[in-house]
Amino acid sequence: MNDLSELRVSSGSSDLAREDVQEVPSARGSLPCNRLGQLLMLPGQIVSLLVLVVPLAVAFYMSFTDWTPTHGSLLQATLVGFDNYKELLVYDTRFVEAVVRTLLISTVCLALEFVLGLSLAVLFLREFRGKAILFSAFLTPMMILPVVVGYTFWMLFQSNGPINQLLMLVFGSGAGPQWFRSTPLAISAVIITEVWHWTPLFFLILLSGLNAIPENPVRAAVILGATPRQVFWRIVLPMLKPVIIVAFVIRAMEIVKLFDEVFMLTRGGPGTSTETISLYIYKLAFADFQLAYGAAAAFLVLLGTLVLIHLLLAPIRNQLLEARR
C-alpha cells in the first residue's frame, strides 16, 4: 500500500510537472498571437488616423490662416493668429446671432421632446390593445433620413399644403398662414419638424429607463400610502435622472448640428432669421469660399459643444465619484 501511494504521488507530481511544462510554451505562444492581433488592428488605426486626426489637424492649422481656394496652396497662406476667432466673437454679429438662434431652437426642441417622450414612455408602461403596432409607428420617424423629413415638411407647410388645408377647414379662414415668409412661423416650422423627427429617441431611451427601475421602492411607497403622483415625482423621476441626462446629452450633440431640416425647409430664411450655426458655417465654406474663417467658426462650435456636454454630464460624474467613495 505504501508503495502504491508513493507511486500515485510520484505520478501525480510528474503530471503536474508535465502540465507546467506544457503551460510554458502556451504562455510563450500567446506573445505572437498578441502581435498578430496588433498587426490586424493596425490598418484600421491607420485609416482612423487618416480620416479623423489628419483632417482635424489640417483644419485647425487652417483656422489660423487667411487661406481661400483662390490663394494657392495652404502652405503658402499667411498666418494671422487669432484674428479669425477675434473677428467671429467680436465683430461677426451674424455668427453670434446664429449661435443664439441655434441655442434657442435647441432649448425649445429638447424641452418639447422630453415632455412628449416621457409622456409616451409612461403611457407605454401599461398594457393596451394595439401596443405593438403603435410602438413601431412611434419609432418610425426616427428612422427616416433628415433630408427626407425636411423635404416632406416643406411640402406640408406650403401655402396650399395639407397643414394649411386642415387649418382652413378647422377655423374656416380664407387662406392659411405663409409659413416661410414670417420669422416666428418659419422658426415654428423648424421646431415642429425637429420635434416630430426626434421625439421617438427620447421616448425609446426613457421607456428603457422606466422598465429598468426596480419595483421594490415603488411598492414600498405604495404600501406607505403614497399617491401615484407622489411615487412618480419623488421616486421614479429621481431614479430616472441618469437616463434623462444621457438622453439630453445625445440629443444636444445632434441638435447643435441642426442642418438638414433647416436647409430643406427655409434655407435659413426669411433673410437669416432661421439660419443655424451649421448652416452659417456651410455658407461660409461652400458659398463664400472662406474656408479658414469657416474652420475657425467650426472649432469655436466644437469647443462650445464640449463645454455644454461637460456641464450636462456633471451630475452623473459627481454621482459616480460619490459612489466610489
Side-chain angles (χ1 to χ4, degrees):
M1 293 292 292
N2 293 332
D3 296 338
L4 182 60
S5 61
E6 290 177 359
L7 180 61
R8 288 177 178 175
V9 170
S10 61
S11 62
S13 60
S14 63
D15 292 338
L16 291 175
R18 291 175 182 175
E19 291 178 359
D20 293 338
V21 172
Q22 292 176 357
E23 286 178 358
V24 172
S26 63
R28 293 178 180 176
S30 63
L31 294 177
C33 293
N34 293 335
R35 292 177 181 175
L36 179 60
Q38 294 175 358
L39 291 176
L40 292 175
M41 293 173 59
L42 186 59
Q45 294 174 350
I46 294 175
V47 171
S48 300
L49 180 67
L50 295 176
V51 173
L52 298 176
V53 179
V54 174
L56 190 66
V58 173
F60 186 69
Y61 171 78
M62 187 193 306
S63 66
F64 293 97
T65 68
D66 61 350
W67 182 74
T68 61
T70 58
H71 287 174
S73 173
L74 176 61
L75 299 177
Q76 299 174 354
T78 304
L79 290 173
V80 295
F82 290 92
D83 288 353
N84 289 330
Y85 294 93
K86 182 179 178 180
E87 177 74 20
L88 286 165
L89 295 175
V90 179
Y91 302 107
D92 194 344
T93 57
R94 187 174 170 183
F95 172 78
V96 177
E97 290 174 355
V99 171
V100 174
R101 191 179 301 111
T102 303
L103 292 177
L104 175 63
I105 295 175
S106 301
T107 302
V108 176
C109 288
L110 289 176
L112 292 175
E113 290 170 13
F114 169 69
V115 173
L116 294 175
L118 183 60
S119 302
L120 289 174
V122 173
L123 176 64
F124 272 77
L125 285 177
R126 304 174 181 178
E127 293 295 333
F128 54 88
R129 183 175 298 178
K131 178 179 177 180
I133 298 176
L134 288 177
F135 182 79
S136 301
F138 281 128
L139 292 184
T140 301
M142 185 178 60
M143 305 175 187
I144 304 175
L145 292 175
V147 175
V148 177
V149 173
Y151 182 71
T152 302
F153 274 84
W154 177 78
M155 293 189 295
L156 293 176
F157 282 114
Q158 290 298 310
S159 57
N160 57 348
I163 293 180
N164 279 356
Q165 295 290 334
L166 180 62
L167 292 176
M168 289 186 290
L169 181 64
V170 173
F171 296 102
S173 58
Q178 302 294 323
W179 290 92
F180 304 127
R181 296 183 183 180
S182 169
T183 297
L185 291 178
I187 294 178
S188 300
V190 173
I191 291 174
I192 292 171
T193 304
E194 188 71 9
V195 169
W196 181 87
H197 191 195
W198 290 112
T199 295
L201 181 61
F202 263 97
F203 163 55
L204 186 61
I205 295 175
L206 295 178
L207 181 61
S208 301
L210 288 175
N211 286 324
I213 290 179
E215 297 181 357
N216 292 335
V218 177
R219 290 179 179 176
V222 172
I223 292 174
L224 293 175
T227 63
R229 181 175 298 178
Q230 291 174 334
V231 170
F232 178 77
W233 287 103
R234 301 197 176 187
I235 296 178
V236 175
L237 206 58
M239 296 180 68
L240 199 63
K241 180 180 176 181
V243 179
I244 294 174
I245 293 175
V246 170
F248 269 98
V249 168
I250 294 174
R251 279 296 296 130
M253 288 189 298
E254 289 297 323
I255 202 169
V256 169
K257 300 180 292 184
L258 178 60
F259 174 81
D260 306 76
E261 288 90 345
V262 178
F263 185 82
M264 297 302 299
L265 282 170
T266 65
R267 299 293 197 279
T272 59
S273 58
T274 60
E275 188 177 69
T276 60
I277 188 60
S278 297
L279 185 58
Y280 177 56
I281 294 174
Y282 166 80
K283 291 180 179 179
L284 283 177
F286 298 102
D288 302 335
F289 296 103
Q290 301 181 34
L291 295 184
Y293 194 65
F299 274 99
L300 284 178
V301 174
L302 175 62
L303 180 61
T305 305
L306 292 177
V307 173
L308 176 63
I309 300 305
H310 177 78
L311 294 176
L312 289 175
L313 289 177
I316 295 180
R317 184 174 58 255
N318 296 335
Q319 184 177 356
L320 292 175
L321 292 177
E322 292 177 0
R324 290 181 180 179
R325 292 176 184 175

